[in-house]
Amino acid sequence: MSPRGVATPDVRERLFAAAERVVERDGPGALTSRAVTTEAGCAKGLLHAHFAGLDEFVADLCLDRFARTAAQAQTLSQLTGQGTVAGNLNAVALALFDSAGPALSGLAMSRPATTRQIREALEGGAPGLAAIEEAISTYLTAEQRLGRVAETADPSTVALAIVGTAHHLLMTSWPGTPDPRPAMKRLVAMLVDG
């Protein structure tokens, strides 16, 4: 436990990672500010010192994870012509399911104030599924020019199908349900390998 009055390095990420562990291990209902700070091994008031409350904390956690995946999706263009198209796409699509993604999505959707904060941030330009979709479409267009994606494929539609399926799987998966990753991999393979 960090002593009082001592700065906690990388406090946001430390709290976010602790929240993911709590949700993954004990389910969304177990997520409280006390559970997060206990898991993080820090002072009980630390979460409230950095966030207006649990709703803001969960919204910021979800937005942070969306931004990470969107940044990863932006790197797809650097992979054009390398590896396999399906493998490159899977790395991005499956990242949405890392770090307790389905459980966090369910948690966010069950908290109206959190959902509102996430929606407002996305409307304000925060990176989310739309940024991921755009990056995938741009990548597929570049791969199509190299002949690694069929000429008949519509990159925008394929990107929408991948992101839409990921969103659906995130919203319908929770602890105890089958792992959504195999379904995501099958979809990506079907869309790009035909």
Side-chain angles (χ1 to χ4, degrees), residues 122-168:
L122 293 174
E123 288 171 353
L129 295 175
I132 297 166
E133 182 182 334
E134 183 178 324
I136 290 172
S137 179
T138 300
Y139 166 72
L140 288 170
T141 299
E143 290 287 20
Q144 196 172 44
R145 285 188 198 113
L146 294 178
R148 291 173 26 112
V149 171
E151 285 185 30
T152 56
D154 177 9
S156 296
T157 302
V158 172
L160 176 61
I162 291 170
V163 172
T165 299
H167 183 260
H168 168 75

Coordinates of all heavy atoms in Angstrom, one line a residue, residues 122-168:
L122 N -17.2 10.8 -27.4 CA -17.1 10.3 -28.8 C -17.7 11.4 -29.8 O -17.1 11.6 -30.8 CB -17.8 9.0 -29.0 CG -17.2 7.8 -28.2 CD1 -18.1 6.6 -28.4 CD2 -15.8 7.5 -28.7
E123 N -18.8 12.0 -29.4 CA -19.4 13.1 -30.3 C -18.4 14.2 -30.4 O -18.4 15.0 -31.4 CB -20.7 13.5 -29.7 CG -21.8 12.5 -29.9 CD -23.1 12.9 -29.2 OE1 -23.1 13.8 -28.4 OE2 -24.1 12.2 -29.4
G124 N -17.6 14.5 -29.3 CA -16.7 15.6 -29.3 C -15.3 15.2 -30.0 O -14.4 16.0 -30.0
G125 N -15.2 14.0 -30.5 CA -14.0 13.7 -31.3 C -13.1 12.7 -30.7 O -12.1 12.4 -31.2
A126 N -13.4 12.2 -29.5 CA -12.6 11.2 -28.9 C -12.5 9.9 -29.8 O -13.6 9.6 -30.4 CB -13.1 10.8 -27.5
P127 N -11.4 9.3 -29.9 CA -11.3 8.1 -30.8 C -12.1 7.0 -30.3 O -12.1 6.7 -29.1 CB -9.8 7.8 -30.9 CG -9.2 8.5 -29.7 CD -10.1 9.6 -29.3
G128 N -12.8 6.3 -31.2 CA -13.7 5.2 -30.8 C -13.8 4.2 -31.9 O -12.9 4.1 -32.8
L129 N -14.9 3.6 -32.0 CA -15.1 2.6 -33.1 C -15.1 3.2 -34.5 O -14.6 2.5 -35.4 CB -16.4 1.8 -32.8 CG -16.5 1.0 -31.5 CD1 -17.9 0.4 -31.4 CD2 -15.4 -0.1 -31.6
A130 N -15.5 4.4 -34.6 CA -15.5 5.1 -35.9 C -14.1 5.3 -36.4 O -13.8 5.1 -37.6 CB -16.3 6.4 -35.9
A131 N -13.2 5.6 -35.5 CA -11.8 5.8 -35.9 C -11.1 4.5 -36.3 O -10.3 4.4 -37.2 CB -11.0 6.5 -34.7
I132 N -11.5 3.4 -35.5 CA -11.0 2.1 -35.9 C -11.5 1.7 -37.2 O -10.7 1.2 -38.0 CB -11.4 1.1 -34.7 CG1 -10.8 1.5 -33.4 CG2 -11.0 -0.3 -35.1 CD1 -11.4 0.8 -32.2
E133 N -12.8 1.9 -37.5 CA -13.4 1.5 -38.8 C -12.7 2.3 -39.9 O -12.3 1.7 -40.9 CB -14.9 1.9 -38.7 CG -15.6 1.5 -40.0 CD -17.1 1.9 -39.9 OE1 -17.6 2.0 -38.8 OE2 -17.6 2.2 -41.0
E134 N -12.4 3.5 -39.7 CA -11.8 4.3 -40.8 C -10.4 3.8 -41.1 O -9.9 3.7 -42.2 CB -11.7 5.8 -40.4 CG -11.1 6.7 -41.4 CD -11.1 8.2 -41.0 OE1 -12.1 8.6 -40.3 OE2 -10.1 8.9 -41.3
A135 N -9.6 3.5 -40.0 CA -8.3 3.0 -40.2 C -8.3 1.6 -40.9 O -7.4 1.4 -41.7 CB -7.6 2.9 -38.8
I136 N -9.2 0.8 -40.5 CA -9.3 -0.5 -41.2 C -9.6 -0.3 -42.7 O -9.0 -1.0 -43.5 CB -10.3 -1.4 -40.5 CG1 -9.8 -1.9 -39.1 CG2 -10.7 -2.6 -41.4 CD1 -10.8 -2.6 -38.3
S137 N -10.6 0.6 -43.0 CA -10.9 0.8 -44.4 C -9.7 1.3 -45.2 O -9.5 0.9 -46.3 CB -12.1 1.8 -44.4 OG -12.4 2.1 -45.8
T138 N -9.0 2.3 -44.6 CA -7.8 2.8 -45.3 C -6.8 1.7 -45.5 O -6.2 1.6 -46.6 CB -7.2 4.0 -44.4 OG1 -8.2 5.0 -44.3 CG2 -6.0 4.5 -45.1
Y139 N -6.5 0.9 -44.5 CA -5.6 -0.2 -44.7 C -6.0 -1.2 -45.8 O -5.2 -1.6 -46.6 CB -5.5 -0.9 -43.3 CG -4.8 -2.3 -43.4 CD1 -3.4 -2.4 -43.7 CD2 -5.5 -3.5 -43.3 CE1 -2.8 -3.6 -43.8 CE2 -4.9 -4.7 -43.4 CZ -3.5 -4.8 -43.7 OH -2.9 -6.0 -43.8
L140 N -7.3 -1.6 -45.8 CA -7.8 -2.5 -46.8 C -7.7 -1.9 -48.2 O -7.4 -2.7 -49.1 CB -9.2 -2.9 -46.5 CG -9.4 -3.8 -45.3 CD1 -10.9 -3.9 -44.9 CD2 -8.8 -5.2 -45.5
T141 N -7.9 -0.6 -48.3 CA -7.8 0.0 -49.6 C -6.3 -0.1 -50.1 O -6.1 -0.4 -51.3 CB -8.2 1.5 -49.6 OG1 -9.6 1.5 -49.2 CG2 -8.0 2.2 -50.9
A142 N -5.4 0.1 -49.2 CA -4.0 0.0 -49.6 C -3.6 -1.4 -49.9 O -2.9 -1.6 -50.9 CB -3.1 0.5 -48.4
E143 N -4.1 -2.4 -49.2 CA -3.8 -3.8 -49.5 C -4.5 -4.2 -50.8 O -3.9 -5.0 -51.6 CB -4.3 -4.7 -48.4 CG -3.5 -4.6 -47.1 CD -2.2 -5.3 -47.2 OE1 -1.6 -5.5 -48.3 OE2 -1.6 -5.5 -46.1
Q144 N -5.6 -3.6 -51.1 CA -6.3 -3.9 -52.4 C -5.5 -3.4 -53.6 O -5.4 -4.1 -54.6 CB -7.7 -3.2 -52.4 CG -8.7 -3.7 -53.4 CD -10.0 -3.1 -53.2 OE1 -10.2 -1.9 -52.9 NE2 -11.1 -3.9 -53.2
R145 N -4.8 -2.3 -53.4 CA -4.0 -1.7 -54.5 C -2.8 -2.7 -54.8 O -2.3 -2.7 -55.9 CB -3.4 -0.4 -54.1 CG -4.5 0.7 -54.2 CD -3.8 2.1 -54.0 NE -4.9 3.1 -53.7 CZ -5.0 3.7 -52.5 NH1 -4.1 3.5 -51.6 NH2 -6.0 4.5 -52.3
L146 N -2.4 -3.4 -53.7 CA -1.3 -4.4 -53.9 C -1.8 -5.8 -54.4 O -1.0 -6.7 -54.6 CB -0.5 -4.6 -52.6 CG 0.2 -3.4 -52.0 CD1 0.9 -3.7 -50.7 CD2 1.3 -2.9 -53.0
G147 N -3.1 -5.9 -54.5 CA -3.6 -7.2 -54.9 C -3.8 -8.2 -53.8 O -4.1 -9.4 -54.1
R148 N -3.6 -7.8 -52.6 CA -3.8 -8.7 -51.5 C -5.2 -8.8 -50.9 O -5.5 -9.6 -50.0 CB -2.8 -8.3 -50.3 CG -1.4 -8.6 -50.8 CD -0.3 -8.0 -49.8 NE -0.6 -7.9 -48.4 CZ -0.1 -8.7 -47.4 NH1 0.8 -9.6 -47.7 NH2 -0.4 -8.4 -46.2
V149 N -6.1 -7.9 -51.4 CA -7.5 -8.0 -51.1 C -8.2 -7.9 -52.5 O -7.8 -7.2 -53.4 CB -7.9 -6.7 -50.2 CG1 -9.4 -6.6 -50.1 CG2 -7.3 -6.8 -48.9
A150 N -9.2 -8.7 -52.6 CA -9.9 -8.9 -53.9 C -10.5 -7.5 -54.4 O -10.9 -6.7 -53.6 CB -11.1 -9.8 -53.7
E151 N -10.4 -7.3 -55.7 CA -10.9 -6.1 -56.3 C -12.4 -5.9 -56.0 O -12.8 -4.8 -56.0 CB -10.6 -6.1 -57.8 CG -9.2 -5.9 -58.2 CD -9.0 -5.8 -59.7 OE1 -10.0 -5.4 -60.4 OE2 -8.0 -6.2 -60.2
T152 N -13.1 -7.0 -55.9 CA -14.5 -6.9 -55.7 C -14.9 -6.5 -54.2 O -16.1 -6.2 -54.0 CB -15.2 -8.2 -56.0 OG1 -14.6 -9.3 -55.3 CG2 -15.1 -8.5 -57.5
A153 N -13.9 -6.6 -53.3 CA -14.2 -6.2 -51.9 C -14.4 -4.7 -51.8 O -13.7 -3.9 -52.4 CB -13.1 -6.7 -51.0
D154 N -15.3 -4.3 -51.0 CA -15.5 -2.9 -50.6 C -14.9 -2.7 -49.3 O -15.5 -3.1 -48.3 CB -17.0 -2.6 -50.6 CG -17.3 -1.2 -50.2 OD1 -16.4 -0.4 -50.1 OD2 -18.5 -0.8 -50.0
P155 N -13.7 -2.0 -49.2 CA -13.1 -1.8 -47.9 C -13.9 -1.2 -46.9 O -13.8 -1.6 -45.7 CB -11.9 -0.9 -48.3 CG -11.6 -1.3 -49.7 CD -13.0 -1.5 -50.4
S156 N -14.7 -0.2 -47.2 CA -15.6 0.4 -46.2 C -16.6 -0.6 -45.6 O -16.8 -0.5 -44.4 CB -16.3 1.6 -46.8 OG -15.4 2.6 -47.2
T157 N -17.2 -1.4 -46.4 CA -18.2 -2.4 -46.0 C -17.5 -3.4 -45.1 O -18.0 -3.8 -44.1 CB -18.9 -3.0 -47.2 OG1 -19.5 -1.9 -47.9 CG2 -20.0 -4.0 -46.7
V158 N -16.3 -3.9 -45.5 CA -15.6 -4.9 -44.8 C -15.2 -4.3 -43.4 O -15.4 -5.0 -42.4 CB -14.3 -5.4 -45.5 CG1 -13.5 -6.3 -44.6 CG2 -14.7 -6.1 -46.8
A159 N -14.7 -3.1 -43.4 CA -14.4 -2.4 -42.1 C -15.6 -2.3 -41.2 O -15.5 -2.6 -40.0 CB -13.8 -1.0 -42.4
L160 N -16.7 -1.9 -41.8 CA -18.0 -1.8 -41.0 C -18.4 -3.2 -40.4 O -18.8 -3.3 -39.3 CB -19.1 -1.2 -41.9 CG -20.5 -1.2 -41.2 CD1 -20.5 -0.2 -40.0 CD2 -21.5 -0.7 -42.2
A161 N -18.3 -4.2 -41.2 CA -18.6 -5.5 -40.8 C -17.7 -6.0 -39.6 O -18.2 -6.6 -38.6 CB -18.5 -6.5 -41.9
I162 N -16.4 -5.7 -39.7 CA -15.5 -6.1 -38.6 C -15.8 -5.3 -37.4 O -15.9 -5.9 -36.3 CB -14.0 -5.9 -39.1 CG1 -13.7 -6.9 -40.2 CG2 -13.1 -6.0 -37.9 CD1 -12.4 -6.6 -40.9
V163 N -15.9 -4.0 -37.5 CA -16.2 -3.2 -36.3 C -17.6 -3.4 -35.7 O -17.7 -3.5 -34.5 CB -15.9 -1.7 -36.6 CG1 -16.3 -0.8 -35.4 CG2 -14.4 -1.5 -36.9
G164 N -18.5 -3.6 -36.6 CA -19.9 -3.8 -36.1 C -20.0 -5.2 -35.4 O -20.7 -5.3 -34.4
T165 N -19.3 -6.2 -35.9 CA -19.3 -7.5 -35.3 C -18.6 -7.4 -33.9 O -19.1 -7.9 -32.9 CB -18.7 -8.5 -36.2 OG1 -19.4 -8.6 -37.4 CG2 -18.6 -9.9 -35.5
A166 N -17.5 -6.7 -33.9 CA -16.8 -6.5 -32.6 C -17.7 -5.9 -31.6 O -17.7 -6.3 -30.4 CB -15.5 -5.8 -32.8
H167 N -18.4 -4.8 -32.0 CA -19.3 -4.1 -31.1 C -20.4 -5.0 -30.6 O -20.7 -5.1 -29.4 CB -19.9 -2.9 -31.9 CG -20.7 -2.1 -31.0 ND1 -22.1 -2.2 -31.0 CD2 -20.5 -1.1 -30.1 CE1 -22.6 -1.3 -30.2 NE2 -21.7 -0.7 -29.6
H168 N -21.0 -5.8 -31.5 CA -22.0 -6.7 -31.1 C -21.5 -7.7 -30.1 O -22.1 -8.0 -29.1 CB -22.6 -7.5 -32.4 CG -23.4 -8.6 -32.0 ND1 -24.7 -8.5 -31.5 CD2 -23.2 -10.0 -32.0 CE1 -25.2 -9.7 -31.3 NE2 -24.3 -10.6 -31.6

